[in-house]
Amino acid sequence: MARLPMYRQIADAIKEKIQSGEYKPGEALPTEAQLREAFSVSRVTVRQALKLLVEQNVLESIQGSGTYVKENKVNYDMYEYSSFYEKLSHLDVKTHSEILAFEITTPAPAIAEALEINEEDRIFYVKRVRFIDENPVTLEETWMPLSLFPDLTYEVMQGSKYVFIKGTKKMVIDRSEQEIIPVLPPQEVVNQLGIPADQPIIEKVTKGYLVDGTVFEYSRNYFKSSDYKFTLVAKRNHHY
């Protein structure tokens, strides 16, 4: 395998220091002179390494101030149907959920249609705010058929519903259909997430399917766009 150019090696070493917590998000990096001395390389090599990391969104350079470690954003991979906790597993952060509503009710017509059930069928309605450390990042509303989850509890929803569905219920989750819409935040989202009313946010509507085609959840999430980036991978069909 070809040896990496020195600037790439320096960039990798800086990334490792960020991952280990030696360089923390929001903190300034040592100066170019200090980095040159630490790695025993030329100024040009240090600058190439920093330029690469800025292009990769690992660092940000602020004119006249220095180079800083970028604040972590949660990478929300649209093609990976995973829990809030799983999406954060690569970040050294604490997460928790604050439940605002946990009730058994009957669905509004649109919800009944989404869940493919009757309007008189009973459902769980759960509303919760998800936190990264002490920062509220998303308000989530979830509707789930009571017949599928008669043993769903408040405690389960304080953690991960997918751990409950896959681990406890032994149900096989197949896929989700998701819609992403930029919107101005409803008043409750402004209050719960502490954001300006004129700051656009991301609304994500999800319909989740079990492997047998049963709809097991319909949910709506409002994400603070300052804390999330959404990634999509498009694969070309080689038959054309």
Side-chain angles (χ1 to χ4, degrees):
M1 198 173 144
R3 188 174 157 82
L4 282 178
M6 184 53 77
Y7 79 94
R8 294 269 302 276
Q9 292 180 46
I10 306 297
D12 286 347
I14 290 171
K15 273 195 219 169
E16 275 171 30
K17 286 180 186 289
I18 293 168
Q19 278 157 2
S20 72
E22 190 175 331
Y23 298 159
K24 293 181 174 51
E27 281 188 1
L29 238 58
T31 62
E32 278 184 17
Q34 289 167 324
L35 289 169
R36 213 171 66 220
E37 198 173 305
F39 292 109
S40 305
V41 290
S42 70
R43 173 183 280 131
V44 171
T45 304
V46 165
R47 284 192 176 162
Q48 277 181 301
L50 295 178
K51 183 171 180 284
L52 175 65
L53 292 172
V54 167
E55 284 168 2
Q56 291 176 344
N57 275 326
V58 174
L59 302 176
E60 63 182 327
S61 182
I62 298 172
Q63 195 68 39
S65 175
T67 306
Y68 293 80
V69 180
K70 269 203 135 168
E71 297 282 358
N72 282 323
K73 280 197 176 193
V74 180
N75 182 19
Y76 200 108
D77 185 340
M78 297 291 296
Y79 284 97
E80 185 188 4
Y81 198 13
S82 54
S83 73
F84 179 70
Y85 298 96
E86 289 167 321
K87 289 198 194 303
L88 295 168
S89 59
H90 68 295
L91 303 179
D92 182 21
V93 294
K94 290 188 173 65
T95 61
H96 71 277
S97 297
E98 186 178 302
I99 297 179
L100 306 177
F102 181 88
E103 55 197 52
I104 293 171
T105 180
T106 49
I111 303 296
E113 191 179 330
L115 290 173
E116 297 175 14
I117 58 175
N118 297 317
E119 286 176 45
E120 56 273 15
D121 290 338
R122 290 192 299 163
I123 58 162
F124 275 104
Y125 168 66
V126 185
K127 186 194 295 184
R128 53 189 183 166
V129 179
R130 321 300 295 272
F131 289 80
I132 298 176
D133 291 326
E134 295 306 312
N135 179 29
V137 294
T138 175
L139 176 71
E140 175 196 88
E141 292 180 284
T142 304
W143 295 266
M144 299 162 79
L146 178 67
S147 59
L148 282 181
F149 309 106
D151 48 348
L152 184 70
T153 64
Y154 186 93
E155 286 68 33
V156 163
M157 295 306 286
Q158 284 180 305
S160 167
K161 66 185 170 219
Y162 298 133
V163 168
F164 169 72
I165 292 164
K166 293 189 285 191
T168 309
K169 302 296 289 181
K170 304 289 186 246
M171 292 176 173
V172 180
I173 296 173
D174 179 53
R175 71 188 196 282
S176 72
E177 292 173 0
Q178 304 179 54
E179 252 182 34
I180 298 275
I181 314 150
V183 295
L184 284 171
Q187 190 57 46
E188 184 179 24
V189 177
V190 169
N191 298 345
Q192 294 294 343
L193 302 186
I195 53 175
D198 59 355
Q199 178 186 309
I201 58 163
I202 300 157
E203 178 185 355
K204 179 174 77 75
V205 176
T206 302
K207 196 169 165 177
Y209 293 84
L210 297 176
V211 76
D212 66 1
T214 305
V215 179
F216 74 89
E217 76 157 336
Y218 181 70
S219 65
R220 183 191 292 130
N221 275 78
Y222 292 103
F223 291 99
K224 274 164 78 170
S225 50
S226 56
D227 290 302
Y228 276 82
K229 62 176 180 180
F230 286 76
T231 61
L232 299 140
V233 178
K235 289 199 172 154
R236 187 169 166 76
N237 187 327
H238 293 292
H239 297 301
Y240 296 100

